[in-house]
Amino acid sequence: MYSWAPVSVPAVPPSEDVPGRLSLFDTSLRAVTPVGPESGEARMYVCGITPYDATHLGHANTYLTFDLVQRAWLDLGLGVNYSQNVTDVDDPLLERAAQTGQDWDELASDQIELFRTDMEALRVIPPRHYVGAVESIGLVVRYIERLAETDLVYQIDDPEHPDWYFRTAQVPGFGAVSGLDEQRMIDVFRDNGGDPDRPGKRHPLDSLLWQFARRGEPAWESSLGAGRPGWHVECVAISLQHLGPHFDLQGGGRDLIFPHHEMCAAQALAFTGEPMADACVHSGLVALDGEKMSKSKGNLELVSRLRKAGADPMAIRLALLAHHYRSDWEWRPEMLDEAVARLERWRSVLNDATAVPAAETIAAMRTAIRNDLDAPAALAAVDAWVAASSAMTSDDVDAVGEMVAAIDALLGVRL
Ligand code: 5CA
Ligand code: ZN
């Protein structure tokens, strides 16, 4: 189990006339709906990185989105069990290591370390359980063994690699997460590294549970044969193990809706007899040079590069929070300049002893965040308060402290 440094979150006195629940857009429902319990502990799983290249702004944007979710729940007085995986053995990681001549596990541990440093700098609250795929192999094998007690698991008829598959399309409701029809799913699966055309599969959309060792690849001995797990079942096993069945929120970037989250939902339903999560929540994709930022294409802007160049991590955070989490947008360097200017404006007022009263602004921030995580509206509320405080002489001696705490607790920006 990995982790990174804890982050302190100040308590902010409650506001009047604000929504009493957090609502988010649920991908399966295709509507904004309350997410999380009314009391007790909220349970959230967010798909973690595949550590073969450094954290880019797309990753950071996704983890900031779910950091705002955690902060909103904490602000509502809930406990939060946040779990995340790290895909520390997988095809792209092995391929990158082979290209660069590095050991795959060294590459992974270097990149995990860099990711954790980036998350700490951005003041992302660490998950309670941050779990690697490699350390979970025994767990995943036990899950597959139990799934194999249903008639939904089979070994493919391939003498050299009799890999284990799951009959995804047999699960009731398959397709509900993405809303895609079967032909479209097959096409997207093919374009995203899936194997719909592999001879011997019973259905093109059946998903790999366990693959036998290929030459030169790492493999683990198990009752299923010597090999390694498929990707989807890792997230199913890790999330159910650390959160229990039918948790509140499954999250990740929009690129994971299909096949990953669709396949996970089917496997989890077959495993527990219940939906995997109450809501599926996805963040938009950050692009660079007209295309989704991605490690495989190399069109990246890295958190670590911006930090090395001297950027204040709180300005990086503000630059990302200036976009609604569900929008797709393209990174431009000027966005960092704009965020630096905003941070300076905020800091100049918050260094004063007095300001205009804060209660209405804090209520507006909470309303914005609880209403489908509208961070841009929360930033605008702070902007308006900062402008008012610098335009008029004010005498509220508590306002500055209240705003510093609210901006820290709700937005994760320390001034
Ligand atoms: N390890 C798997 C999930 S189990 C994986 O997708 N790893 S990843 O490193 O490719 O992506 C990590 C997270 O960042 C995922 O939630 C993914 O949806 C998100 N992500 C990747 N690229 C972008 C992007 N350009 N914009 C926003 N989010 C992104
Ligand atoms: Zn995942």
Side-chain angles (χ1 to χ4, degrees):
M1 179 108 64
Y2 307 99
S3 195
W4 62 83
V7 175
S8 66
V9 182
V12 183
S15 305
E16 278 167 29
D17 299 328
V18 292
R21 302 276 297 276
L22 169 65
S23 292
L24 297 168
F25 186 88
D26 176 3
T27 304
S28 321
L29 202 61
R30 284 164 257 290
V32 175
T33 184
V35 181
E38 294 194 49
S39 61
E41 189 164 82
R43 296 172 299 149
M44 166 164 77
Y45 182 78
V46 177
C47 282
I49 55 161
T50 306
Y52 68 92
D53 212 337
T55 324
H56 60 61
L57 291 177
H59 302 134
N61 195 56
T62 288
Y63 299 112
L64 284 188
T65 295
F66 295 100
D67 190 52
L68 290 191
V69 171
Q70 157 136 253
R71 287 170 182 277
W73 278 334
L74 292 172
D75 184 51
L76 283 162
L78 299 170
V80 182
N81 182 353
Y82 175 25
S83 298
Q84 189 180 129
N85 70 314
V86 45
T87 311
D88 53 4
V89 60
D90 200 11
D91 294 340
L93 171 67
L94 298 175
E95 281 157 20
R96 177 63 60 90
Q99 278 163 14
T100 59
Q102 232 180 327
D103 284 338
W104 64 272
D105 46 351
E106 251 175 47
L107 172 63
S109 60
D110 288 354
Q111 295 307 323
I112 292 165
E113 192 45 42
L114 187 55
F115 173 71
R116 292 192 299 178
T117 322
D118 286 339
M119 292 297 105
E120 277 174 11
L122 293 174
R123 303 196 77 240
V124 173
I125 303 171
R128 186 182 295 175
H129 303 285
Y130 185 37
V131 189
V134 171
E135 66 179 303
S136 306
I137 284 177
L139 171 78
V140 176
V141 168
R142 291 197 295 281
Y143 268 71
I144 299 173
E145 285 169 347
R146 272 186 49 197
L147 261 184
E149 291 166 13
T150 67
D151 55 5
L152 294 171
V153 173
Y154 63 96
Q155 264 186 295
I156 202 163
D157 187 12
D158 175 337
E160 214 181 328
H161 300 123
D163 300 333
W164 295 83
Y165 276 85
F166 178 75
R167 305 184 70 182
T168 324
Q170 302 293 312
V171 177
F174 180 61
V177 176
S178 60
L180 300 176
D181 64 31
E182 189 169 292
Q183 189 51 50
R184 186 87 191 101
M185 284 196 270
I186 294 171
D187 294 340
V188 179
F189 194 39
R190 185 181 293 114
D191 294 343
N192 286 274
D195 59 357
D197 308 312
R198 183 170 179 191
K201 282 180 73 170
R202 296 192 192 165
H203 188 285
L205 291 167
D206 290 348
S207 53
L208 183 68
L209 289 173
W210 182 265
Q211 63 177 13
F212 279 72
R214 288 359 184 212
R215 194 189 312 253
E217 287 188 354
W220 288 264
E221 286 299 335
S222 81
S223 60
L224 304 161
R228 61 185 163 99
W231 172 32
H232 315 304
V233 69
E234 285 170 1
C235 280
V236 171
I238 292 172
S239 60
L240 295 179
Q241 180 71 15
H242 295 283
L243 296 172
H246 200 162
F247 49 86
D248 296 292
L249 187 166
Q250 182 186 19
R254 188 169 66 70
D255 54 333
L256 296 185
I257 296 173
F258 191 88
H260 187 46
H261 287 173
E262 190 80 66
M263 301 278 183
C264 286
Q267 291 181 5
L269 181 62
F271 191 84
T272 64
E274 291 181 67
M276 179 167 181
D278 232 20
C280 254
V281 177
H282 293 102
S283 51
L285 298 179
V286 182
L288 186 69
D289 303 332
E291 268 193 282
K292 173 196 155 191
M293 232 182 246
S294 85
K295 293 177 286 200
S296 51
K297 294 202 193 87
N299 56 332
L300 308 176
E301 181 54 273
L302 305 179
V303 175
S304 48
R305 201 196 66 80
L306 293 176
R307 285 169 54 218
K308 259 198 219 115
D312 183 330
M314 294 299 98
I316 302 174
R317 192 163 170 124
L318 273 183
L320 297 172
L321 295 185
H323 305 267
H324 189 264
Y325 80 98
R326 279 200 282 131
S327 59
D328 294 334
W329 53 279
E330 177 151 344
W331 171 255
R332 285 181 291 105
E334 306 86 82
M335 289 172 176
L336 186 59
D337 304 333
E338 288 156 19
V340 167
R342 175 177 252 156
L343 195 59
E344 273 170 13
R345 279 199 313 276
W346 290 11
R347 281 181 174 153
S348 73
V349 167
L350 292 156
N351 284 333
D352 295 343
T354 57
V356 296
E360 265 182 42
T361 304
I362 294 173
M365 290 167 72
R366 281 185 161 126
T367 300
I369 292 290
R370 292 177 193 180
N371 178 17
D372 199 25
L373 233 48
D374 192 347
L379 300 191
V382 179
D383 284 342
W385 177 87
V386 163
S389 292
S390 43
M392 59 183 94
T393 35
S394 36
D395 56 2
D396 188 327
V397 291
D398 299 322
V400 167
E402 288 165 9
M403 281 299 287
V404 167
I407 291 168
D408 188 351
L410 296 170
L411 301 174
V413 175
R414 191 158 58 190
L415 293 166

